[in-house]
């Protein structure tokens, strides 16, 4: 069949867009969408060094960029296939129906190879072929009017495609901003104990413009995925394998029969800049990992574990760190959102975010050290977090300077935050928030003061300080740990083992 030469490129592009749109309509914004599959392929073929600073450094900003690029690549790939099929068809002098079939078949096969999803492949190939058919009708129509109408229709298919393709990256960008709510947003009736704990956290927070309250309103998201996995809570299970006396597998119902507790805990990404925003705190609901390890007969002196997830993520770290860990399925009184690892994630007290594995599926007990996902890419983020005092609130009002923020020192605990207004010569203690309550059994009586007693051992504290000033100067802050250790002054970038130094900001009274 003949397509005018100048039109063939447009037809092929429309067909490529139709495949991208069709597969989106079929499987939505999931790892089986061709754009996400292309993004994943791109990620796996990027030089490690590029990837290393890319994702942990930029976090959710890098992902929309990657998706837009991958969408273009996908259109090029499927459009290219259509072009090839058109060539072959023209050479062999095929009928239009056969050409449409040839294009659709090639695209279906390619989409299946990429996504391993028969549904995505079939719908994508069908729409890709249909776009060629429509455009072909337009190109070969006898009358000008009909031809234009046909072209319009083809353009329509392409437009719908562009819109559908754009919806994915857009959804992701929105989800990144409103991360805490991208899961189950149904306003479930909240547990009175959770309400009480969150109420205490709100009461203890300093309300400082620019700084989060003690429980973050927007919790940062960092992961390697162009699209997060969708794990069905009813089908989920976690298996303890490797150097164990007996493999143990549990589902959500099994976990819920254990001693459930609520814990305040802070997470910080190793890629978080010194005064960055990739540090946040939530109230988590779940159970401790220890009983599970005991059931599997894990040798407490064992060296390490490889913890795996539904997104093929894997992190290796000391068994002793996991033994203090927590398996969380609730966040601030709601089911754990998809973006934060639904249905169940690991929380490892005092350690960098990267070993707090989301979409958790397997704990493999190892007999010797191995290398995890980020360590293979140059990061050193499996150890304890470093100590930091952040300065996010800064206001000047008629010579009165008000500064504040949070300080986090992992399980070493923040004992003080010191402020210097003379560039680091002299230091004054800032006012600190009371520590958040300690772990609380889920069956505690919310009206019992004991329910909110105790102290969280792995949560940040808020700080604030006010002083008078009439000349430009630098204000510097640093945290002091429980044992008196002062946050190190030496300045380091986040890559590879976390930022270091004292946060300093210039004040113009
Ligand atoms: N399965 C899985 N878990 C993961 C990651 C990931 O890419 N996949 N990213 C890790 C990193 S680098 C960090 S900092 C934390 C962030 O958790 P959050 O997105 O809930 O804030 O999750 C960790 N857990
Ligand atoms: Mo991270």
């Amino acid at each position: 069949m003949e397509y005018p030469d100048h039109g063939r490129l447009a037809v092929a592009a429309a067909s490529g867009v139709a495949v991208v749109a069709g597969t989106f309509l079929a499987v939505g914004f999931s790892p089986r969408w061709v754009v996400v599959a292309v993004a994943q392929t791109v990620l796996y073929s990027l030089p490690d060094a590029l990837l290393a600073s890319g994702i942990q450094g930029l976090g959710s900003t890098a992902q929309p960029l990657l998706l837009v690029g991958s969408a273009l690549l996908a259109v090029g790939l499927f459009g290219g296939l259509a072009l090839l099929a058109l060539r072959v068809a023209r050479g062999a002098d095929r009928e239009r129906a056969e050409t449409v079939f040839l294009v659709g078949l090639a695209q279906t096969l390619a989409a299946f190879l990429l996504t391993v999803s028969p549904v995505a492949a079939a719908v994508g190939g069908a729409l890709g072929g249909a776009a060629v058919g429509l455009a072909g009708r337009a190109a070969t129509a006898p009358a000008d009017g009909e031809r234009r109408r046909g072209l319009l229709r083809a353009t329509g298919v392409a437009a719908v495609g562009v819109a559908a393709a754009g919806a994915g990256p857009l959804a992701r960008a929105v989800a990144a901003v409103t991360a805490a709510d991208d899961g189950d947003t149904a306003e479930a009736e909240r547990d009175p104990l959770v309400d009480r704990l969150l109420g205490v956290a709100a009461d203890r927070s300093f309300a400082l413009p620019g700084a989060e309250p003690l429980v973050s309103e927007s919790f940062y998201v960092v992961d390697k995925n162009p699209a997060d996995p969708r794990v069905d809570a009813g089908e989920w299970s976690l298996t303890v394998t490797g150097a164990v006396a007996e493999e143990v597998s549990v589902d959500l119902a099994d976990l819920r029969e254990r001693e459930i507790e609520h814990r305040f805990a802070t997470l910080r990404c190793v890629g978080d800049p010194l005064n960055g925003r990739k540090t946040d705190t939530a109230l988590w609901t779940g159970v401790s990992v220890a009983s599970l390890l005991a059931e599997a007969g894990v040798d407490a002196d064992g060296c390490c574990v490889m913890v795996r997830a539904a997104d093929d993520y894997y992190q290796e770290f000391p068994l002793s760190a996991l033994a203090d860990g927590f398996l969380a399925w609730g966040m601030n009184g709601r089911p754990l959102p998809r973006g934060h690892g639904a249905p169940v994630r690991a929380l490892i007290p005092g350690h960098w975010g990267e070993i707090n594995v989301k979409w958790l599926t397997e704990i493999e007990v190892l007999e010797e050290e191995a290398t995890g996902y980020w360590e293979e890419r140059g990061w050193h983020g499996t150890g304890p977090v470093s100590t930091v005092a952040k300065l996010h609130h800064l206001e000047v009002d008629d010579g009165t300077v008000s500064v504040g923020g949070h300080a986090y020192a992992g399980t070493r605990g923040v004992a003080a935050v010191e402020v210097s207004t003379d560039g680091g010569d002299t230091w004054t203690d800032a006012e600190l928030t009371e520590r958040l309550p300690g772990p609380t059994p889920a069956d505690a009586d919310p009206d019992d003061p004991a329910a909110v007693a105790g102290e969280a051992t792995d949560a940040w504290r808020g700080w604030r300080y006010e002083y008078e000033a009439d000349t430009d100067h630098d204000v510097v802050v640093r945290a002091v740990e429980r044992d008196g250790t002062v946050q190190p002054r030496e300045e380091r970038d986040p890559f590879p083992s976390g930022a270091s130094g004292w946060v300093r900001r210039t004040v113009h009274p």
Side-chain angles (χ1 to χ4, degrees):
M1 185 182 72
E2 268 313 316
Y3 285 86
D5 262 351
H6 62 272
R8 255 189 304 148
L9 216 57
V11 171
S15 174
V17 169
V19 174
V20 166
T23 50
F24 180 74
L25 293 176
V27 294
F29 187 57
S30 77
R32 286 165 303 149
W33 186 28
V34 285
V35 171
V36 173
V38 167
Q40 230 126 36
T41 312
V42 169
L43 271 187
Y44 278 110
S45 43
L46 274 185
D48 287 349
L50 226 172
L51 188 65
S53 39
I55 303 180
Q56 290 231 47
L58 298 175
S60 33
T61 346
Q63 275 154 343
L65 280 179
L66 173 67
L67 283 173
V68 171
S70 303
L72 292 175
L73 267 176
V75 168
L77 173 73
F78 290 101
L81 274 178
L83 205 60
L84 210 70
L86 286 174
R87 279 251 162 83
V88 170
R90 188 167 65 158
D93 217 5
R94 301 273 185 204
E95 292 299 318
R96 187 189 310 143
E98 286 176 65
T99 309
V100 166
F101 178 76
L102 203 64
V103 170
L105 185 69
Q107 290 171 333
T108 303
L109 285 177
F112 183 73
L113 282 179
L114 257 176
T115 62
V116 207
S117 161
V119 183
V123 177
L127 283 201
V132 167
L134 279 176
R137 271 246 302 277
T140 54
D144 257 8
E146 205 177 314
R147 184 170 172 156
R148 222 172 295 127
R149 233 172 298 132
L151 268 174
L152 271 179
R153 222 173 295 152
T155 317
V157 170
V160 169
V162 170
L170 204 67
R172 173 77 201 201
V174 172
V177 175
T178 57
D181 292 322
D182 66 349
D184 188 337
T185 47
E187 268 300 338
E189 190 141 312
R190 221 160 45 195
D191 184 315
L193 181 58
V194 167
D195 271 344
R196 172 103 172 90
L197 287 163
L198 291 175
V200 169
D203 291 346
R204 292 185 187 175
S205 301
F206 295 149
L208 299 177
E212 289 271 16
L214 283 174
V215 167
S216 303
E217 277 162 359
S218 141
F219 202 106
Y220 84 92
V221 177
V222 171
D223 52 63
K224 65 174 188 65
N225 307 313
D228 294 331
R230 252 177 231 282
V231 184
D232 189 283
E235 319 229 298
W236 176 85
S237 70
L238 166 65
T239 312
V240 187
T241 65
V244 295
E246 192 182 354
E247 278 198 8
V248 174
S249 198
V250 287
D251 60 19
L252 209 49
D254 295 331
L255 288 187
R256 285 186 200 275
E257 276 167 20
R258 292 165 195 245
E259 286 172 36
I260 304 176
E261 59 178 41
H262 306 294
R263 281 192 188 187
F264 288 100
T266 300
L267 279 189
R268 183 178 184 207
C269 181
V270 66
D272 185 30
L274 185 60
N275 201 31
R277 300 274 184 171
K278 284 184 222 160
T279 304
D280 280 301
T281 302
L283 177 63
W284 309 89
T285 302
V287 295
S288 62
V289 180
S291 68
L292 197 62
L293 294 179
E295 265 171 54
V298 173
D299 177 1
D301 298 330
C303 101
C304 39
V305 286
M306 183 71 84
V307 178
R308 297 178 212 276
D311 59 345
D312 294 329
Y313 184 71
Y314 49 95
Q315 282 296 358
E316 190 261 10
F317 54 96
L319 174 65
S320 57
L322 180 70
D324 294 333
F326 195 63
L327 304 172
W329 61 77
M331 187 178 183
N332 300 330
R334 293 192 182 168
L336 189 66
R338 181 174 166 212
H340 291 294
V344 178
R345 78 174 303 162
L347 292 171
I348 311 297
H351 285 66
W352 292 114
E354 64 168 59
I355 64 167
N356 291 252
V357 176
K358 309 194 270 189
W359 311 287
L360 180 65
T361 55
E362 185 191 341
I363 295 169
E364 185 191 353
V365 180
L366 303 180
E367 273 165 347
E368 46 188 86
E369 303 274 349
T371 312
Y373 182 89
W374 287 116
E375 282 32 57
E376 280 177 354
R377 289 158 179 83
W379 287 91
H380 302 300
T382 62
V385 292
S386 55
T387 294
V388 69
K390 306 214 176 215
L391 202 174
H392 286 156
H393 163 77
L394 196 169
E395 263 177 11
V396 187
D397 181 21
D398 199 19
T400 302
V401 184
S402 157
V403 285
H406 294 96
Y408 179 52
T411 49
R412 296 180 301 281
V414 172
V417 168
E418 300 176 333
V419 183
S420 172
T421 58
D422 54 13
D425 287 342
T426 59
W427 297 87
T428 315
D429 276 350
E431 187 189 351
L432 284 180
T433 58
E434 224 180 305
R435 288 201 170 83
L436 284 163
T440 308
D443 57 6
D445 172 4
D447 298 321
D448 182 355
V452 296
E455 289 178 349
T457 48
D458 182 33
W460 65 10
R461 299 178 76 177
W463 66 270
R464 70 180 167 198
Y465 183 65
E466 249 184 43
Y467 60 98
E468 305 296 321
D470 48 21
T471 52
D472 285 6
H473 61 279
D474 274 4
V475 54
V476 190
V477 284
R478 63 185 192 188
V480 181
E481 298 167 8
R482 260 206 193 89
D483 71 355
T485 306
V486 176
Q487 178 185 333
R489 175 181 204 158
E490 180 211 345
E491 288 182 16
R492 260 187 354 217
D493 286 338
F495 185 79
S497 41
S500 158
W502 296 339
V503 172
R504 166 189 300 265
R505 287 181 64 178
T506 304
V507 184
H508 309 282

